Amino acid sequence: MTRTVVTGGTGRLGGALRPRLLDAGHEVRATSTSPPADGDVEWVTIDLRDGTGIADAVADADVVVHTASAPQGDSEAVDVEGTKRLLDAADDAGVSNFLYISIVGIDEIPFSYYEHKLAAERAIESSPVPSTILRATQFHSFVDGVLGTVSRLPVWPLPTKIRIQPVSVGEVADILVEHATPEPAGRLPDVGGPEVKTVGELATSYRRARGKRRPIVRLPIPGSVAGAFRAGKATCPDRAVGTVTWDAWLDEQYGPGESGATNPSATPS
Ligand SMILES: NC(=O)c1ccc[n+]([C@@H]2O[C@H](COP(=O)([O-])OP(=O)(O)OC[C@H]3O[C@@H](n4cnc5c(N)ncnc54)[C@H](OP(=O)(O)O)[C@@H]3O)[C@@H](O)[C@H]2O)c1
């Protein structure tokens, strides 16, 4: 039985990985800074920021699937330095395959979180620990969270021209589980959802699915980061291997929206 550690076991991706790894017959240990009291797997408290619990978390592990991340926090401490700490512990523990989930376009978008993800990738690639790296586009559930926050406003100010390619977190988890073996695969082909959409199109579908009618207004964001997103640098249309569209995901999540509320002509440009 493969002993597999999932860092960030409480996260969107970590939560999708746990049941899939169990179904695939893995012995699963999951980590969190604040684990749930019970559950289907062994939980270990770690903090990548200061190294708490890392050696215990990876002791005896065959495979580590590293999904823990702090995009809204100190991502240099957690994603870069924390990943290096985790790699050192994985090396000491003789881990056979260190899987890392990364993001499509991080080397072309000068966004500080992405720069930290890229530094983490480079630390993994230069480590003696055998590894597998998968870059994915944005998860549906992540886009849903962002739009959910904006949807509380009376008017939705959004960078409508930014292009992204939402993907099912479950399909990303399936690929990682397939590679959660003692055989490292290096850098895997990128994975993206089935369609590239503008934020304006995504928000229009979201508004329909939630039965809302608030206006979507274009928020012009200057600068190279937004420019790179508008240019589609976070997408991989040649790797549109995901099968779940944004509209299908919304219908699954919220049920079919109000009939007749979808009006393509109302999509902001
Ligand atoms: N979200 C996306 O659309 C997307 C797309 C492509 C790739 N990715 C990558 O996929 C990974 C997972 O994303 P996600 O959306 O599932 O993230 P998430 O839901 O924000 O989960 C992040 C996880 O990191 C853990 N964590 C945060 N700070 C930590 C610390 N100091 N020490 C240890 N653990 C810590 C959290 O655990 P606790 O809070 O329980 O401690 C949580 O389980 C990230 O590396 C991300 O870059 C995400």
Side-chain angles (χ1 to χ4, degrees):
M1 186 184 271
T2 307
R3 284 163 300 193
T4 299
V5 174
V6 179
T7 70
T10 56
R12 291 180 199 91
L13 180 57
L17 280 165
R18 286 188 281 112
R20 285 170 170 79
L21 286 166
L22 288 171
D23 285 350
H26 292 244
E27 187 180 311
V28 180
R29 187 183 292 156
T31 81
S32 163
T33 56
S34 178
D38 52 17
D40 45 4
V41 301
E42 176 192 355
W43 283 97
V44 178
T45 303
I46 71 165
D47 193 336
L48 290 167
R49 231 164 117 83
D50 61 13
T52 303
I54 292 179
D56 288 344
V58 299
D60 303 325
D62 302 308
V63 171
V64 172
V65 190
H66 180 30
T67 81
S69 182
Q72 263 95 49
D74 186 346
S75 58
E76 181 154 27
V78 174
D79 291 78
V80 185
E81 298 310 318
T83 297
K84 290 178 183 169
R85 290 188 185 96
L86 188 63
L87 283 165
D88 286 345
D91 193 18
D92 291 344
V95 165
S96 305
N97 190 5
F98 186 102
L99 283 92
Y100 184 61
I101 181 67
S102 191
I103 305 175
V104 168
I106 54 170
D107 40 2
E108 297 195 79
I109 304 174
F111 174 40
S112 68
Y113 174 59
Y114 285 9
E115 288 165 358
H116 295 148
K117 294 286 295 183
L118 189 59
E121 277 191 6
R122 291 191 171 140
I124 292 162
E125 285 166 340
S126 60
S127 153
V129 182
S131 62
T132 303
I133 295 177
L134 175 65
R135 289 185 181 179
T137 56
Q138 283 64 41
F139 307 149
H140 297 118
S141 45
F142 169 77
V143 178
D144 177 67
V146 172
L147 292 174
T149 303
V150 173
S151 73
R152 297 191 200 111
L153 303 171
V155 169
W156 299 359
L158 287 165
T160 51
K161 295 195 170 181
I162 277 178
R163 286 191 280 153
I164 58 175
Q165 189 179 349
V167 68
S168 153
V169 71
E171 290 184 324
V172 174
D174 287 340
I175 297 170
L176 290 170
V177 171
E178 191 188 316
H179 286 278
T181 68
E183 288 82 44
R187 172 86 185 272
L188 294 171
D190 293 351
V191 55
E195 310 166 306
V196 175
K197 295 260 195 183
T198 65
V199 166
E201 291 168 334
L202 296 169
T204 300
S205 293
Y206 177 87
R207 185 173 58 179
R208 167 193 58 78
R210 304 303 312 270
K212 296 186 185 281
R213 298 184 181 281
R214 296 190 176 166
I216 298 166
V217 295
R218 182 172 170 234
L219 176 69
I221 302 184
S224 52
V225 173
F229 275 103
R230 280 194 298 274
K233 300 293 186 190
T235 68
C236 54
D238 54 331
R239 289 287 306 155
V241 294
T243 64
V244 183
T245 64
W246 174 237
D247 283 2
W249 186 86
L250 287 169
D251 285 352
E252 176 73 27
Q253 193 73 10
Y254 297 113
E258 292 181 344
S259 72
T262 305
N263 174 5
S265 66
T267 303
S269 58

mmCIF file of all heavy atoms in Angstrom, residues 11-44:
data_model
loop_
_atom_site.group_PDB
_atom_site.id
_atom_site.type_symbol
_atom_site.label_atom_id
_atom_site.label_comp_id
_atom_site.label_asym_id
_atom_site.label_seq_id
_atom_site.Cartn_x
_atom_site.Cartn_y
_atom_site.Cartn_z
ATOM 1 N N GLY A 11 -7.914 21.939 1.852
ATOM 2 C CA GLY A 11 -8.170 22.889 0.758
ATOM 3 C C GLY A 11 -9.076 22.338 -0.327
ATOM 4 O O GLY A 11 -9.545 21.195 -0.248
ATOM 5 N N ARG A 12 -9.324 23.163 -1.345
ATOM 6 C CA ARG A 12 -10.182 22.728 -2.469
ATOM 7 C C ARG A 12 -9.611 21.467 -3.098
ATOM 8 O O ARG A 12 -10.310 20.475 -3.285
ATOM 9 C CB ARG A 12 -10.237 23.827 -3.543
ATOM 10 C CG ARG A 12 -10.979 25.063 -3.139
ATOM 11 C CD ARG A 12 -10.955 26.084 -4.302
ATOM 12 N NE ARG A 12 -11.265 27.381 -3.772
ATOM 13 C CZ ARG A 12 -10.368 28.248 -3.323
ATOM 14 N NH1 ARG A 12 -9.078 27.983 -3.405
ATOM 15 N NH2 ARG A 12 -10.744 29.394 -2.804
ATOM 16 N N LEU A 13 -8.331 21.531 -3.449
ATOM 17 C CA LEU A 13 -7.717 20.375 -4.103
ATOM 18 C C LEU A 13 -7.468 19.249 -3.092
ATOM 19 O O LEU A 13 -7.735 18.079 -3.389
ATOM 20 C CB LEU A 13 -6.404 20.802 -4.774
ATOM 21 C CG LEU A 13 -5.633 19.716 -5.496
ATOM 22 C CD1 LEU A 13 -6.482 19.037 -6.574
ATOM 23 C CD2 LEU A 13 -4.358 20.288 -6.123
ATOM 24 N N GLY A 14 -6.986 19.603 -1.914
ATOM 25 C CA GLY A 14 -6.732 18.575 -0.894
ATOM 26 C C GLY A 14 -8.003 17.799 -0.567
ATOM 27 O O GLY A 14 -7.990 16.571 -0.404
ATOM 28 N N GLY A 15 -9.124 18.509 -0.510
ATOM 29 C CA GLY A 15 -10.405 17.866 -0.207
ATOM 30 C C GLY A 15 -10.859 16.934 -1.322
ATOM 31 O O GLY A 15 -11.564 15.960 -1.073
ATOM 32 N N ALA A 16 -10.464 17.250 -2.553
ATOM 33 C CA ALA A 16 -10.798 16.367 -3.682
ATOM 34 C C ALA A 16 -9.841 15.174 -3.741
ATOM 35 O O ALA A 16 -10.207 14.102 -4.230
ATOM 36 C CB ALA A 16 -10.738 17.155 -4.992
ATOM 37 N N LEU A 17 -8.628 15.365 -3.245
ATOM 38 C CA LEU A 17 -7.637 14.286 -3.307
ATOM 39 C C LEU A 17 -7.894 13.197 -2.267
ATOM 40 O O LEU A 17 -7.717 12.008 -2.555
ATOM 41 C CB LEU A 17 -6.233 14.865 -3.074
ATOM 42 C CG LEU A 17 -5.593 15.543 -4.278
ATOM 43 C CD1 LEU A 17 -4.396 16.396 -3.837
ATOM 44 C CD2 LEU A 17 -5.130 14.496 -5.301
ATOM 45 N N ARG A 18 -8.298 13.583 -1.068
ATOM 46 C CA ARG A 18 -8.404 12.599 0.029
ATOM 47 C C ARG A 18 -9.271 11.398 -0.348
ATOM 48 O O ARG A 18 -8.794 10.252 -0.282
ATOM 49 C CB ARG A 18 -8.900 13.280 1.308
ATOM 50 C CG ARG A 18 -7.840 14.134 1.982
ATOM 51 C CD ARG A 18 -8.290 14.641 3.333
ATOM 52 N NE ARG A 18 -9.171 15.777 3.250
ATOM 53 C CZ ARG A 18 -10.461 15.800 3.573
ATOM 54 N NH1 ARG A 18 -11.063 14.721 4.030
ATOM 55 N NH2 ARG A 18 -11.167 16.903 3.465
ATOM 56 N N PRO A 19 -10.544 11.604 -0.767
ATOM 57 C CA PRO A 19 -11.365 10.420 -1.086
ATOM 58 C C PRO A 19 -10.847 9.651 -2.298
ATOM 59 O O PRO A 19 -10.937 8.418 -2.350
ATOM 60 C CB PRO A 19 -12.753 11.013 -1.369
ATOM 61 C CG PRO A 19 -12.528 12.466 -1.653
ATOM 62 C CD PRO A 19 -11.298 12.859 -0.904
ATOM 63 N N ARG A 20 -10.269 10.374 -3.259
ATOM 64 C CA ARG A 20 -9.765 9.678 -4.458
ATOM 65 C C ARG A 20 -8.558 8.804 -4.117
ATOM 66 O O ARG A 20 -8.420 7.695 -4.632
ATOM 67 C CB ARG A 20 -9.389 10.708 -5.537
ATOM 68 C CG ARG A 20 -10.615 11.310 -6.223
ATOM 69 C CD ARG A 20 -10.232 12.478 -7.109
ATOM 70 N NE ARG A 20 -11.342 12.905 -7.949
ATOM 71 C CZ ARG A 20 -12.367 13.663 -7.532
ATOM 72 N NH1 ARG A 20 -12.395 14.080 -6.260
ATOM 73 N NH2 ARG A 20 -13.337 13.997 -8.349
ATOM 74 N N LEU A 21 -7.677 9.305 -3.249
ATOM 75 C CA LEU A 21 -6.515 8.495 -2.867
ATOM 76 C C LEU A 21 -6.966 7.278 -2.054
ATOM 77 O O LEU A 21 -6.451 6.173 -2.247
ATOM 78 C CB LEU A 21 -5.529 9.351 -2.060
ATOM 79 C CG LEU A 21 -4.732 10.372 -2.887
ATOM 80 C CD1 LEU A 21 -4.052 11.400 -1.983
ATOM 81 C CD2 LEU A 21 -3.674 9.664 -3.749
ATOM 82 N N LEU A 22 -7.934 7.480 -1.161
ATOM 83 C CA LEU A 22 -8.450 6.341 -0.386
ATOM 84 C C LEU A 22 -9.054 5.303 -1.331
ATOM 85 O O LEU A 22 -8.786 4.103 -1.210
ATOM 86 C CB LEU A 22 -9.497 6.811 0.625
ATOM 87 C CG LEU A 22 -8.973 7.604 1.830
ATOM 88 C CD1 LEU A 22 -10.128 8.187 2.628
ATOM 89 C CD2 LEU A 22 -8.082 6.734 2.729
ATOM 90 N N ASP A 23 -9.855 5.771 -2.294
ATOM 91 C CA ASP A 23 -10.476 4.844 -3.252
ATOM 92 C C ASP A 23 -9.419 4.089 -4.054
ATOM 93 O O ASP A 23 -9.644 2.948 -4.461
ATOM 94 C CB ASP A 23 -11.386 5.589 -4.238
ATOM 95 C CG ASP A 23 -12.703 6.013 -3.595
ATOM 96 O OD1 ASP A 23 -12.972 5.569 -2.459
ATOM 97 O OD2 ASP A 23 -13.447 6.790 -4.226
ATOM 98 N N ALA A 24 -8.282 4.754 -4.300
ATOM 99 C CA ALA A 24 -7.220 4.107 -5.080
ATOM 100 C C ALA A 24 -6.345 3.217 -4.195
ATOM 101 O O ALA A 24 -5.332 2.689 -4.667
ATOM 102 C CB ALA A 24 -6.372 5.172 -5.782
ATOM 103 N N GLY A 25 -6.709 3.096 -2.917
ATOM 104 C CA GLY A 25 -6.014 2.153 -2.046
ATOM 105 C C GLY A 25 -4.820 2.718 -1.305
ATOM 106 O O GLY A 25 -4.027 1.966 -0.738
ATOM 107 N N HIS A 26 -4.666 4.035 -1.281
ATOM 108 C CA HIS A 26 -3.534 4.629 -0.556
ATOM 109 C C HIS A 26 -3.820 4.687 0.945
ATOM 110 O O HIS A 26 -4.976 4.814 1.368
ATOM 111 C CB HIS A 26 -3.273 6.065 -1.036
ATOM 112 C CG HIS A 26 -2.760 6.158 -2.426
ATOM 113 N ND1 HIS A 26 -1.513 6.652 -2.741
ATOM 114 C CD2 HIS A 26 -3.327 5.814 -3.617
ATOM 115 C CE1 HIS A 26 -1.343 6.615 -4.057
ATOM 116 N NE2 HIS A 26 -2.435 6.109 -4.604
ATOM 117 N N GLU A 27 -2.747 4.628 1.719
ATOM 118 C CA GLU A 27 -2.834 4.971 3.144
ATOM 119 C C GLU A 27 -2.582 6.484 3.186
ATOM 120 O O GLU A 27 -1.505 6.931 2.775
ATOM 121 C CB GLU A 27 -1.743 4.204 3.886
ATOM 122 C CG GLU A 27 -1.806 4.308 5.371
ATOM 123 C CD GLU A 27 -0.660 3.491 5.982
ATOM 124 O OE1 GLU A 27 -0.462 2.309 5.607
ATOM 125 O OE2 GLU A 27 0.058 4.070 6.808
ATOM 126 N N VAL A 28 -3.569 7.239 3.631
ATOM 127 C CA VAL A 28 -3.501 8.700 3.455
ATOM 128 C C VAL A 28 -3.297 9.420 4.783
ATOM 129 O O VAL A 28 -3.993 9.168 5.761
ATOM 130 C CB VAL A 28 -4.798 9.224 2.791
ATOM 131 C CG1 VAL A 28 -4.727 10.743 2.596
ATOM 132 C CG2 VAL A 28 -5.044 8.537 1.456
ATOM 133 N N ARG A 29 -2.314 10.315 4.763
ATOM 134 C CA ARG A 29 -2.098 11.237 5.884
ATOM 135 C C ARG A 29 -2.269 12.634 5.307
ATOM 136 O O ARG A 29 -1.686 12.957 4.268
ATOM 137 C CB ARG A 29 -0.687 11.043 6.409
ATOM 138 C CG ARG A 29 -0.379 11.806 7.677
ATOM 139 C CD ARG A 29 1.085 11.580 8.054
ATOM 140 N NE ARG A 29 1.383 10.221 8.460
ATOM 141 C CZ ARG A 29 2.605 9.662 8.391
ATOM 142 N NH1 ARG A 29 3.633 10.346 7.923
ATOM 143 N NH2 ARG A 29 2.798 8.438 8.793
ATOM 144 N N ALA A 30 -3.101 13.443 5.948
ATOM 145 C CA ALA A 30 -3.351 14.796 5.439
ATOM 146 C C ALA A 30 -2.876 15.812 6.456
ATOM 147 O O ALA A 30 -2.881 15.551 7.661
ATOM 148 C CB ALA A 30 -4.843 14.983 5.162
ATOM 149 N N THR A 31 -2.468 16.982 5.971
ATOM 150 C CA THR A 31 -1.960 18.010 6.887
ATOM 151 C C THR A 31 -2.789 19.287 6.798
ATOM 152 O O THR A 31 -3.417 19.584 5.786
ATOM 153 C CB THR A 31 -0.490 18.379 6.575
ATOM 154 O OG1 THR A 31 -0.450 19.299 5.478
ATOM 155 C CG2 THR A 31 0.359 17.161 6.275
ATOM 156 N N SER A 32 -2.737 20.007 7.906
ATOM 157 C CA SER A 32 -3.407 21.306 8.003
ATOM 158 C C SER A 32 -2.751 22.054 9.156
ATOM 159 O O SER A 32 -2.144 21.442 10.039
ATOM 160 C CB SER A 32 -4.901 21.072 8.296
ATOM 161 O OG SER A 32 -5.503 22.247 8.778
ATOM 162 N N THR A 33 -2.870 23.368 9.173
ATOM 163 C CA THR A 33 -2.419 24.105 10.358
ATOM 164 C C THR A 33 -3.419 23.904 11.500
ATOM 165 O O THR A 33 -3.102 24.144 12.657
ATOM 166 C CB THR A 33 -2.306 25.621 10.079
ATOM 167 O OG1 THR A 33 -3.561 26.091 9.593
ATOM 168 C CG2 THR A 33 -1.217 25.922 9.058
ATOM 169 N N SER A 34 -4.633 23.481 11.131
ATOM 170 C CA SER A 34 -5.676 23.311 12.140
ATOM 171 C C SER A 34 -6.617 22.176 11.693
ATOM 172 O O SER A 34 -7.715 22.419 11.207
ATOM 173 C CB SER A 34 -6.432 24.646 12.258
ATOM 174 O OG SER A 34 -7.459 24.535 13.163
ATOM 175 N N PRO A 35 -6.144 20.925 11.877
ATOM 176 C CA PRO A 35 -6.896 19.804 11.305
ATOM 177 C C PRO A 35 -8.246 19.594 11.981
ATOM 178 O O PRO A 35 -8.431 19.969 13.135
ATOM 179 C CB PRO A 35 -6.005 18.591 11.592
ATOM 180 C CG PRO A 35 -4.700 19.110 12.021
ATOM 181 C CD PRO A 35 -4.925 20.481 12.560
ATOM 182 N N PRO A 36 -9.188 18.984 11.245
ATOM 183 C CA PRO A 36 -10.458 18.612 11.865
ATOM 184 C C PRO A 36 -10.222 17.549 12.932
ATOM 185 O O PRO A 36 -9.226 16.830 12.901
ATOM 186 C CB PRO A 36 -11.271 18.049 10.700
ATOM 187 C CG PRO A 36 -10.299 17.753 9.621
ATOM 188 C CD PRO A 36 -9.100 18.604 9.840
ATOM 189 N N ALA A 37 -11.149 17.453 13.880
ATOM 190 C CA ALA A 37 -10.973 16.528 15.006
ATOM 191 C C ALA A 37 -11.031 15.072 14.560
ATOM 192 O O ALA A 37 -10.393 14.206 15.149
ATOM 193 C CB ALA A 37 -12.050 16.800 16.052
ATOM 194 N N ASP A 38 -11.817 14.781 13.536
ATOM 195 C CA ASP A 38 -11.903 13.395 13.092
ATOM 196 C C ASP A 38 -11.952 13.380 11.575
ATOM 197 O O ASP A 38 -11.834 14.420 10.927
ATOM 198 C CB ASP A 38 -13.151 12.715 13.675
ATOM 199 C CG ASP A 38 -14.399 13.549 13.402
ATOM 200 O OD1 ASP A 38 -14.341 14.420 12.518
ATOM 201 O OD2 ASP A 38 -15.417 13.329 14.077
ATOM 202 N N GLY A 39 -12.115 12.196 11.033
ATOM 203 C CA GLY A 39 -12.189 12.123 9.570
ATOM 204 C C GLY A 39 -11.758 10.778 9.067
ATOM 205 O O GLY A 39 -11.480 9.870 9.844
ATOM 206 N N ASP A 40 -11.710 10.688 7.739
ATOM 207 C CA ASP A 40 -11.440 9.413 7.077
ATOM 208 C C ASP A 40 -9.951 9.113 6.958
ATOM 209 O O ASP A 40 -9.564 8.039 6.551
ATOM 210 C CB ASP A 40 -12.086 9.457 5.685
ATOM 211 C CG ASP A 40 -11.821 10.785 4.970
ATOM 212 O OD1 ASP A 40 -11.071 11.626 5.523
ATOM 213 O OD2 ASP A 40 -12.339 10.974 3.856
ATOM 214 N N VAL A 41 -9.090 10.096 7.286
ATOM 215 C CA VAL A 41 -7.643 9.901 7.132
ATOM 216 C C VAL A 41 -6.941 10.329 8.420
ATOM 217 O O VAL A 41 -7.550 10.962 9.295
ATOM 218 C CB VAL A 41 -7.094 10.748 5.954
ATOM 219 C CG1 VAL A 41 -7.766 10.384 4.641
ATOM 220 C CG2 VAL A 41 -7.247 12.246 6.229
ATOM 221 N N GLU A 42 -5.659 9.988 8.492
ATOM 222 C CA GLU A 42 -4.857 10.464 9.637
ATOM 223 C C GLU A 42 -4.516 11.939 9.398
ATOM 224 O O GLU A 42 -4.057 12.302 8.315
ATOM 225 C CB GLU A 42 -3.566 9.634 9.701
ATOM 226 C CG GLU A 42 -2.613 10.090 10.788
ATOM 227 C CD GLU A 42 -1.223 9.461 10.646
ATOM 228 O OE1 GLU A 42 -1.014 8.601 9.760
ATOM 229 O OE2 GLU A 42 -0.346 9.864 11.427
ATOM 230 N N TRP A 43 -4.746 12.785 10.380
ATOM 231 C CA TRP A 43 -4.427 14.214 10.238
ATOM 232 C C TRP A 43 -3.200 14.570 11.051
ATOM 233 O O TRP A 43 -3.024 14.080 12.175
ATOM 234 C CB TRP A 43 -5.602 15.071 10.724
ATOM 235 C CG TRP A 43 -6.724 15.130 9.735
ATOM 236 C CD1 TRP A 43 -7.854 14.356 9.739
ATOM 237 C CD2 TRP A 43 -6.835 15.988 8.591
ATOM 238 N NE1 TRP A 43 -8.651 14.684 8.664
ATOM 239 C CE2 TRP A 43 -8.053 15.678 7.950
ATOM 240 C CE3 TRP A 43 -6.018 16.979 8.040
ATOM 241 C CZ2 TRP A 43 -8.485 16.324 6.787
ATOM 242 C CZ3 TRP A 43 -6.433 17.620 6.887
ATOM 243 C CH2 TRP A 43 -7.663 17.297 6.272
ATOM 244 N N VAL A 44 -2.355 15.409 10.498
ATOM 245 C CA VAL A 44 -1.158 15.892 11.195
ATOM 246 C C VAL A 44 -1.154 17.414 11.115
ATOM 247 O O VAL A 44 -1.441 17.985 10.058
ATOM 248 C CB VAL A 44 0.125 15.328 10.534
ATOM 249 C CG1 VAL A 44 1.362 15.858 11.223
ATOM 250 C CG2 VAL A 44 0.111 13.811 10.546
#
